[in-house]
Amino acid sequence: MTRLESARGYRRAFRETRPGWIVLLAIWLISAVYLGVRLPNRSFTIDMGVLGQAAERVLHGQVPCRDFRCVYTGGEDYLNALSFRVFGVTAISLRIPLFLFFLGWIPAVYFIARRFASPLVAAGTTLLALVWSVPNYPEASPSWYLLFFATWGALALLRYTETDNGFWLWVAGACCGLSTLVKTPGLYFLAGALLFLAFREQSLLESAQPPSPGLNRAYRIFAVLSLAVFFCAIVDLIGQRPLFRDFFQFAFPSAFLAVYVAWSVWRRRSETNSARFRSLIGMVAPLLVGFATPLAVWVLFLWNAGALHDWFRQTFLLSARHLQWTVGNPVGVAAVIGLVPAVLVILVACQRKSAVRHFTWLAWFVGVAAVLVAARTSLRIYEILGISVPLVVPLIALATPLSLNACGRVSPLRRQQAFLLVAIATLCALIQFPMSTVLYFYHVAPLEILAILALVSLWDLVPGPELGSLLVFYLLFAVWLHTPGYFAGTARYEPGHSVPLQHLAIARASDIRVPPEQAGPLDRVIRIVKEHAGGLYIYAAPDQPEIYFLSGLRNPTRDLLDYLDPDLTSPLARTARIMNDIQNHGVNVVVIGRGPSGPIPVALRAGLDAEFPHSLRTGPYEVRWRVPGDPPPSLQPPGTIPFEFGRTPTLSSHAAKTRGVQP
């Protein structure tokens, strides 16, 4: 047995107590009710449309990427299709698997928190993770499944550090593989796990007594070069949008942890090269095998269906196009001022003088109540507190070396577990790039909360009145101020005041509640489309997948979203192909709205106006249709196009015909 192997002897597997199980049951029931009553609330209809249309096409026997262009990796489409088969083709059926996965996720959050705190503190941490996650946007977004799998994977890795059983590494890898089948950013969890294993190998070496005088130069060079490649990959990813705010919020935390691990590896000169390589490979191999297992099954399925080439091309080679159209700038670095009170509380909690802590305890509780009331009445104060929260990610990274090195009495196991959560939380936070909005922070907020708990536990600060009040503050901030009024896309938001919601009057979405300004136009456009469709197919653009799904009518093209069209930059070729699809599928109705791809091409608009002479506008939508007896397009009088967002082209039907867009 080598010294690296003997260093594993300090582990002790975690076992929950009977009171802990009772607390978990209570938290699980509270969480189920809290999300259950909010499950029908809120939806970006474009998300509903993408998920619903893809699942329905799979239900009809189509294969993602082969028969239609994938927005994501394709795995969730089959899960949603199964839900449609069991529960019916409705919008709420998309959310039932989400709810079931959520019920399995809550215990994982609790058990992770229990490694670092008492049952009551773990319960409070779980509730905080709850209110900053799924209930704010309970649509079946793929990113929620990434959060679930990352949490389960982190729990498996924690279990591995306690038992040294490679099976748990395989489980963590399988979670990463399944996550990647939902959405490619699932690879961020794999990167975090590999970074943790590099740190763990070094930690095991430091725990070996006594150290040997070996130089292990080859291993140290290999490890540092590998971490340098990791560093460059992160910088290259964020470099697609070279803003200082992006580098600070996304590149800096991951790169900082990589540099810290590289420094730790380089400064340690003990054990032989073979022992260190054997230790690292023994941990990485089961993880990668687990990762490859679900991917191998998926690749075999796609190969058998003749879709492997299309899947690889659309998922990896064309993924940059999806990043190009889904963008949102992160908050400015100055917004970190909103986190200053929380940081001060943690620093004061470190004071050993009871008089100072007693005074701070009282002042903080008074301050919590005052700030909550002020944030409810002042939108400015609310914004300062709210937009600062995503900046906790770089602060966690900065605090990690200090916490790990300053607490000499903490066991190596506890240090490994704390770094594990920090690495997973930091790397998974990259899912916010480039869509850097609060909505995407929700998908990683629970991981950040667990990482903070792990670091704070190294300082013997849990439980404590100051930290307890901090937890209560952000819990109340979400429940009382943020969640009731949050709905991105509506301009009628006020902190603490619920956005009014109403049920959609559409059969497939009658259980879904959205703001009235969305519900009214959407209800009317679906009714008009059904009245004039006269067949199975309609055409809706740009980026209007919800029209297909909610109406129950089919898309004549292969595109769920217009920006996925490979002819997007060739408007004449795209126009000719779409008009041909419309003719071949007997389309009688088209819907023109607004989408991230921008206005439809002028030539396509001219062709649609000529083919579909009747029109009606409702809200942001224009519905155009034709009826039997309408004259052929070539006999209709030329004229200007009456409706176009952002421009007013003047192509006549004759000009459109001469450009090849008429059948």
Side-chain angles (χ1 to χ4, degrees):
M1 178 181 294
T2 67
R3 280 180 290 274
L4 286 177
E5 292 168 340
S6 64
R8 296 178 170 89
Y10 57 77
R11 267 172 290 287
R12 182 173 61 87
F14 171 80
R15 297 181 67 88
E16 185 55 276
T17 62
R18 180 174 297 180
W21 284 106
I22 296 174
V23 171
L24 171 60
L25 178 60
I27 292 300
W28 187 79
L29 293 174
I30 292 172
S31 302
V33 173
Y34 187 81
L35 177 61
V37 298
R38 291 165 174 79
L39 195 63
N41 289 359
R42 304 171 179 160
S43 175
F44 287 125
T45 53
I46 190 172
D47 289 347
M48 180 201 306
V50 167
L51 298 170
Q53 187 185 169
E56 192 169 9
R57 296 179 83 146
V58 168
L59 189 64
H60 292 155
Q62 297 186 25
V63 177
C65 299
R66 185 193 70 182
D67 300 311
F68 60 92
R69 294 186 178 90
C70 300
V71 179
Y72 305 110
T73 319
E76 189 189 357
D77 298 338
Y78 284 88
L79 176 65
N80 292 335
L82 176 62
S83 182
F84 279 174
R85 184 177 294 277
V86 175
F87 302 107
V89 183
T90 62
I92 199 65
S93 295
L94 295 170
R95 304 186 181 198
I96 293 177
L98 177 74
F99 184 70
L100 297 177
F101 273 66
F102 170 84
L103 294 179
W105 172 71
I106 287 295
V109 175
Y110 175 79
F111 283 128
I112 291 175
R114 278 288 287 120
R115 262 71 176 182
F116 306 96
S118 66
L120 290 181
V121 174
T125 304
T126 305
L127 288 178
L128 187 62
L130 160 70
V131 300
W132 280 95
S133 61
V134 184
N136 290 290
Y137 184 62
E139 188 60 86
S141 168
S143 299
W144 290 130
Y145 292 99
L146 267 60
L147 170 63
F148 299 157
F149 283 117
T151 307
W152 293 329
L155 182 60
L157 290 174
L158 285 173
R159 189 66 177 172
Y160 166 71
T161 63
E162 298 165 349
T163 65
D164 204 32
N165 188 338
F167 169 76
W168 294 111
L169 285 172
W170 182 90
V171 171
C175 287
C176 179
L178 293 171
S179 180
T180 306
L181 292 183
V182 174
K183 194 175 181 181
T184 50
L187 293 170
Y188 297 150
F189 173 80
L190 179 63
L194 291 173
L195 185 63
F196 158 69
L197 292 181
F199 176 84
R200 172 177 160 79
E201 188 278 334
Q202 174 64 27
S203 180
L204 291 176
L205 182 64
E206 293 177 349
S207 302
Q209 296 295 335
S212 67
L215 295 179
N216 53 73
R217 186 184 302 273
Y219 176 84
R220 290 187 295 132
I221 292 176
F222 165 78
V224 171
L225 288 179
S226 299
L227 291 167
V229 171
F230 173 87
F231 177 91
C232 294
I234 297 297
V235 173
D236 180 68
L237 172 67
I238 307 303
Q240 298 179 47
R241 189 177 65 184
L243 299 176
F244 174 77
R245 290 178 293 178
D246 285 322
F247 280 101
F248 176 75
Q249 190 168 339
F250 303 123
F252 167 74
S254 302
F256 183 78
L257 292 181
V259 171
Y260 171 68
V261 174
W263 173 77
S264 301
V265 170
W266 188 259
R267 70 185 178 90
R268 184 71 176 182
R269 299 185 179 187
S270 59
E271 278 294 343
T272 62
N273 287 316
S274 60
R276 300 197 69 176
F277 275 113
R278 185 166 56 251
S279 176
L280 183 65
I281 293 173
M283 294 185 290
V284 171
L287 179 75
L288 295 182
V289 170
F291 170 70
T293 301
L295 287 178
V297 175
W298 179 252
V299 166
L300 287 175
F301 165 74
L302 293 176
W303 176 77
N304 185 62
L308 183 58
H309 177 268
D310 291 331
W311 176 80
F312 181 81
R313 180 174 178 271
Q314 294 179 38
T315 301
F316 296 101
L317 301 183
L318 298 180
S319 59
R321 178 172 294 180
H322 186 63
L323 296 179
Q324 176 184 354
W325 292 99
T326 54
V327 295
N329 291 328
V331 298
V333 178
V336 76
I337 191 175
L339 294 175
V340 169
V343 174
L344 289 177
V345 169
I346 294 177
L347 293 178
V348 171
C350 299
Q351 300 296 321
R352 299 301 179 184
K353 296 180 179 180
S354 58
V356 174
R357 297 187 65 180
H358 181 69
F359 173 77
T360 307
W361 181 83
L362 294 176
W364 175 247
F365 267 101
V366 174
V368 164
V371 171
L372 286 174
V373 173
R376 185 179 177 89
T377 57
S378 171
L379 182 60
R380 185 60 178 170
I381 295 177
Y382 166 82
E383 288 177 342
I384 292 175
L385 293 171
I387 65 176
S388 65
V389 175
L391 291 176
V392 74
V393 179
L395 296 183
I396 291 174
L398 281 172
T400 299
L402 176 65
S403 301
L404 295 179
N405 295 327
C407 306
R409 293 177 297 175
V410 178
S411 69
L413 173 62
R414 180 58 62 84
R415 293 185 184 184
Q416 290 178 36
Q417 292 178 333
F419 185 85
L420 163 63
L421 292 184
V422 170
I424 297 300
T426 301
L427 270 296
C428 288
L430 291 174
I431 197 175
Q432 300 174 86
F433 180 83
M435 194 64 177
S436 309
T437 64
V438 67
L439 177 60
Y440 274 80
F441 177 73
Y442 293 147
H443 297 99
V444 294
L447 298 177
E448 311 304 329
I449 292 169
L450 291 171
I452 293 173
L453 175 65
L455 291 180
V456 169
S457 70
L458 298 179
W459 294 84
D460 296 327
L461 294 175
V462 179
E466 298 90 348
L467 296 174
S469 64
L470 192 63
L471 187 150
V472 170
F473 171 77
Y474 281 102
L475 187 69
L476 292 178
F477 182 83
V479 175
W480 192 43
L481 298 178
H482 189 68
T483 302
Y486 171 74
F487 189 82
T490 177
R492 301 191 299 128
Y493 173 76
E494 295 180 22
H497 299 278
S498 297
V499 171
L501 303 173
Q502 73 178 52
H503 286 280
L504 288 169
I506 303 170
R508 286 192 167 192
S510 58
D511 294 324
I512 302 299
R513 297 191 291 264
V514 300
E517 55 266 31
Q518 288 187 2
L522 197 55
D523 289 339
R524 289 190 293 271
V525 74
I526 297 300
R527 175 175 53 81
I528 296 170
V529 164
K530 288 185 174 181
E531 288 177 358
H532 298 284
L536 296 177
Y537 290 87
I538 61 171
Y539 177 69
D543 308 308
Q544 304 295 318
E546 67 273 18
I547 303 298
Y548 299 110
F549 174 63
L550 295 177
S551 66
L553 299 169
R554 300 183 183 180
N555 184 346
T557 74
R558 299 181 67 241
D559 302 315
L560 301 182
L561 295 170
D562 289 66
Y563 62 72
L564 299 176
D565 192 333
D567 294 328
L568 186 65
T569 57
S570 304
L572 293 182
R574 181 180 174 216
T575 296
R577 177 174 51 78
I578 291 176
M579 295 301 295
N580 188 57
D581 289 338
I582 287 174
Q583 181 190 38
N584 292 339
H585 291 86
V587 172
N588 293 317
V589 177
V590 299
V591 179
I592 303 172
R594 295 185 178 98
S597 301
I600 62 177
V602 175
L604 177 58
R605 181 56 200 255
L608 295 177
D609 285 355
E611 282 283 351
F612 304 94
H614 306 283
S615 66
L616 183 64
R617 182 171 180 173
T618 172
Y621 306 102
E622 182 188 13
V623 185
R624 303 193 70 88
W625 68 91
R626 58 187 172 192
V627 297
D630 283 339
S634 59
L635 299 181
Q636 294 176 3
T640 60
I641 300 174
F643 179 87
E644 177 71 41
F645 291 104
R647 67 180 73 184
T648 306
T650 57
L651 286 179
S652 67
S653 59
H654 174 72
K657 181 178 179 182
T658 59
R659 293 192 181 189
V661 298
Q662 292 286 355

